[in-house]
Amino acid sequence: MALTNNTRTAWKLQEIVAHSSNVSSLVLGKSSGRLLATGSEDCRVNIWAVNKPSCIMSLTGHTSPVECIQFNSSEERVVAGSQSGSLRLWDLEAAKILRTLMGHKASICSLDFHPMGGYLASGSVDSNIKLWDVRRKGCVYRYKDHTQAVRCLAFSPDGKWLASASDDSTVKLWDLIAGKMITEFTSHTSAVNVVQFHPNEYLLASGSADRTVKLWDLEKFNMIGSSEGETGVVRSILFNPDGNCLYSGSENTLRVYGWEPDRCFDVVHVGWGKVSDLAISNNQMIAVSYNQTNVSWYVVDLNRVKKSGSVIQGLIQDKPIPAPTSALGTTLRRNYERPSTSCTGQEMKQSSEADRRSPEGERRSPSSEDEKEDKESSAEITNPEDFKEIFQPRSVISRTPPKSTEPFPAPLEHSFSESVLEKPSPAVKIVTPVIDRTGQLKGPIISSTPVQRVEPTVIAAAPRPVAVVTTSVTSPSRPVVTTTKPKPSTGIILSTRNEPIGLNAGDFLSHARNAKASVMGDEEALAQIRKGHDTMCVMLTSRYKNLDTVRSVWASGDVKTSLDSAVSMNDLSIVVDILNIINLKPSLWKLDLCTSILPQIEELLQSKYESYVQTGCMSLKLILKRFWPLISDTLTAPPSVGVDITREERHRKCKACYKQLKNLSNVVKNRAEQVGRHGSTFKELQLLMAPLDY
């Protein structure tokens, strides 16, 4: 019977409330797949063990929202970058702050540790990449060739190269020893979100908002493969440990790809939403996603996922697939040479003396200011038992060979919709192995885990009476003190919400308060259900007719006229629908469209609906990226000699766009002062609009 129950390929493992404010970033430890770090708008970094309801450790010190986090390869250290541009590095075993690094002018959005230790790289919304020597507390080199935010960084397995992905749609490869760019890959048509090196061969994979995954040969520096069939933005990619396939995570879906020739081996619907990170342990894929203050873990059984063989019908055209000449593909490439010792300071290209003395606030040596900032940072152990079992055994000599960890058991429910977190039914006995980061098993803990959503155990700062205060290491018997949790702000209607707006569930329930509750009749129940139904039908019918009108104009090939017709309807929902289509294909944007849509974008940026704000920000970013150079050059060019009607018409449009962009810059400047995800987006727009002030 057990065999028939445990046949699920993917399931939701756990969901927790991770912070008192919205979660803004998270990362899994890739070595064990069992450790998670989360960053939040509450300026904290919390450390969790997968499938444990309580926070192990809470790291403080940042004074602005944490935008990016990364573990080192041994999972002994974690670094976090903030919205203000500062970096803080903690030693998890010692439970203390190690370094505070300053130098970026804007939010940190990518981090990676050098595989041999001692160095880390950071990428920012200011488009710069910095290479830091952790021991010297200084920036040793800066790479400046990107033009927009750097979304992902990855060191090669041998530690000699650094790959960077950016919103400027490019992937760049840097030689750390020579201190220069090796090559640039430009085949993506939208922002590149993630890059990863093949574990063995000279291959690089990249995933983009253009809904493709591309593979690059690092010997010939050309593209050898591009995926088809992605239904959404590619948010995470991960090579299988043996390197024989590539996993791609987009919204709700996992895909398995092969290359040479391009093929999709399998597609698994997981339902994880906007997945943020992937890791592999015990032939299971562990995935994490977040929504507001909640973090969810998902598990995919890779034993039940196809990683070779025939392609999925309908995704890629079926072709005869030649037999591979090796286990890792049809082409034999060079493998990385991994040195046995760590890199020394002389191996990395150093900045010039002038660059070292640049007034960017980069810390070159320990100072009293550094020490003051380090004292303000702390690592608070909120779960002493888990902390001792996960982090401290590493210093103990093991007299026996390390044991392998155990996979997570599949839930017993037959239906995927019956999530273990949605049913407060009887508790399920789950055997949870406690491991350190080397894969050593300390012995499974059999716990009775209630099948319901659980609040985390985290320590809150003094001015924030929001979370749970738990024990310290020295006083394990100290009682737990709970305080009330603040109500979330309702100023903006979020695009992801758990209940419809304007619908009161109490309308469908009986209002009798005594034991003899009256039974609602069929007619009364139907009347309650139909309440407002006619109004909703009228609204949806009107929206359908408007969209049909716009579609008929669009079919004629005139995008400008169809957009004008949408604007004339005085319905922002129609404008948002059209913009969402145009944003997917930036080539549709013309200067004529800008003059029509910029006034509408101003309304969208000030809307109470989060989805409207997101669409407005994306449209404004595309306009600035594509047309600001043209607008600037046209307005600053000297007057032409004679009559040039085309030039004069272009000058008139550029002048109108400039005026509207100036108005928008004030809106963006005001919204950039907000704290959180929206504030970060508007800060990025503010940087793009900075040339307007010159």
Side-chain angles (χ1 to χ4, degrees), residues 235-504:
R235 302 182 181 277
S236 297
I237 56 175
L238 183 66
F239 279 102
N240 203 58
D242 59 11
N244 64 355
C245 65
L246 175 69
Y247 301 104
S248 165
S250 57
E251 189 160 352
N252 292 320
T253 305
L254 173 71
R255 282 179 164 79
V256 188
Y257 290 113
W259 56 92
E260 295 179 330
D262 297 342
R263 54 207 189 274
C264 180
F265 295 129
D266 206 350
V267 178
V268 181
H269 180 80
V270 186
W272 50 31
K274 297 178 180 179
V275 62
S276 297
D277 200 15
L278 305 173
I280 294 177
S281 176
N282 295 302
N283 212 26
Q284 288 183 332
M285 175 170 288
I286 313 299
V288 284
S289 63
Y290 63 90
N291 179 24
Q292 299 181 47
T293 60
N294 294 351
V295 171
S296 300
W297 281 280
Y298 294 84
V299 178
V300 180
D301 185 354
L302 298 182
N303 292 315
R304 301 182 58 82
V305 174
K306 291 181 62 176
K307 296 184 280 291
S308 62
S310 59
V311 301
I312 300 298
Q313 297 291 332
L315 285 177
I316 300 178
Q317 184 178 359
D318 291 329
K319 300 176 182 178
I321 300 176
T325 56
S326 74
L328 299 179
T330 59
T331 304
L332 294 177
R333 291 185 178 82
R334 288 175 56 193
N335 285 356
Y336 298 106
E337 297 177 0
R338 293 176 172 81
S340 58
T341 58
S342 61
C343 295
T344 63
Q346 286 73 28
E347 290 176 337
M348 296 287 187
K349 174 69 176 180
Q350 306 290 314
S351 298
S352 65
E353 189 66 26
D355 191 30
R356 287 172 197 266
R357 296 175 180 173
S358 61
E360 293 191 10
E362 295 168 4
R363 311 281 169 77
R364 305 304 175 187
S365 60
S367 65
S368 60
E369 187 177 355
D370 286 343
E371 294 173 0
K372 179 182 177 181
E373 288 188 350
D374 289 352
K375 288 180 180 178
E376 294 174 354
S377 303
S378 65
E380 301 164 346
I381 300 171
T382 61
N383 194 324
E385 293 181 1
D386 286 347
F387 173 79
K388 289 179 181 179
E389 290 174 345
I390 293 175
F391 291 107
Q392 293 187 351
R394 189 172 180 81
S395 60
V396 178
I397 298 176
S398 176
R399 298 297 181 184
T400 58
K403 302 175 183 178
S404 60
T405 60
E406 296 182 8
F408 292 112
L412 303 180
E413 289 83 5
H414 294 277
S415 171
F416 183 80
S417 62
E418 298 175 1
S419 170
V420 293
L421 298 171
E422 295 170 354
K423 298 176 62 179
S425 58
V428 177
K429 294 285 185 178
I430 298 179
V431 179
T432 306
V434 178
I435 51 105
D436 62 14
R437 296 159 313 285
T438 59
Q440 206 167 357
L441 189 68
K442 276 298 289 180
I445 292 179
I446 302 179
S447 62
S448 180
T449 306
V451 259
Q452 59 185 1
R453 184 173 300 182
V454 289
E455 293 283 341
T457 318
V458 295
I459 289 182
R464 299 186 184 94
V466 284
V468 180
V469 180
T470 62
T471 64
S472 65
V473 180
T474 56
S475 56
S477 61
R478 185 177 176 182
V480 176
V481 181
T482 60
T483 56
T484 58
K485 183 179 176 180
K487 295 181 180 179
S489 172
T490 56
I492 291 182
I493 298 177
L494 300 176
S495 58
T496 54
R497 48 186 188 268
N498 296 325
E499 59 183 17
I501 298 299
L503 183 63
N504 183 11

Side-chain angles (χ1 to χ4, degrees), residues 541-556 558 561-566 568-569 574 578:
T541 302
S542 174
R543 185 170 180 179
Y544 173 78
K545 289 181 179 178
N546 289 338
L547 285 173
D548 193 50
T549 301
V550 174
R551 185 193 62 80
S552 61
V553 178
W554 185 291
S556 65
D558 191 347
T561 305
S562 63
L563 188 59
D564 287 340
S565 65
S568 66
M569 293 171 183
I574 304 296
I578 302 303

Side-chain angles (χ1 to χ4, degrees), residues 492-561:
I492 291 182
I493 298 177
L494 300 176
S495 58
T496 54
R497 48 186 188 268
N498 296 325
E499 59 183 17
I501 298 299
L503 183 63
N504 183 11
D507 291 342
F508 301 94
L509 303 176
S510 173
H511 298 285
R513 297 182 180 179
N514 53 23
K516 297 180 179 179
S518 60
V519 179
M520 184 181 293
D522 292 344
E523 292 184 2
E524 187 180 357
L526 286 174
Q528 292 287 1
I529 293 173
R530 290 171 179 166
K531 191 176 181 179
H533 176 72
D534 293 338
T535 304
M536 179 59 69
C537 285
V538 170
M539 292 175 59
L540 291 177
T541 302
S542 174
R543 185 170 180 179
Y544 173 78
K545 289 181 179 178
N546 289 338
L547 285 173
D548 193 50
T549 301
V550 174
R551 185 193 62 80
S552 61
V553 178
W554 185 291
S556 65
D558 191 347
V559 179
K560 172 70 164 58
T561 305

Side-chain angles (χ1 to χ4, degrees), residues 166 168-172 183-192 206-217 221-227 625:
S166 170
D168 60 16
S169 307
T170 66
V171 175
K172 298 182 188 293
T183 189
E184 176 184 36
F185 302 118
T186 59
S187 296
H188 283 294
T189 58
S190 190
V192 187
S206 58
S208 168
D210 64 10
R211 305 184 181 188
T212 65
V213 175
K214 299 186 186 298
L215 285 113
W216 316 90
D217 187 314
F221 300 117
N222 61 347
M223 186 175 72
I224 63 165
S226 181
S227 70
K625 178 181 176 181

Side-chain angles (χ1 to χ4, degrees), residues 654-686:
C654 289
K655 189 174 182 180
C657 288
Y658 178 79
K659 183 178 180 181
Q660 292 163 350
L661 287 172
K662 285 290 288 183
N663 294 336
L664 278 171
S665 67
N666 296 327
V667 177
V668 170
K669 183 178 180 181
N670 293 334
R671 300 296 294 272
E673 296 174 357
Q674 296 178 351
V675 175
R677 182 174 66 252
H678 296 103
S680 178
T681 302
F682 281 105
K683 280 186 175 67
E684 187 176 345
L685 283 173
Q686 190 178 17

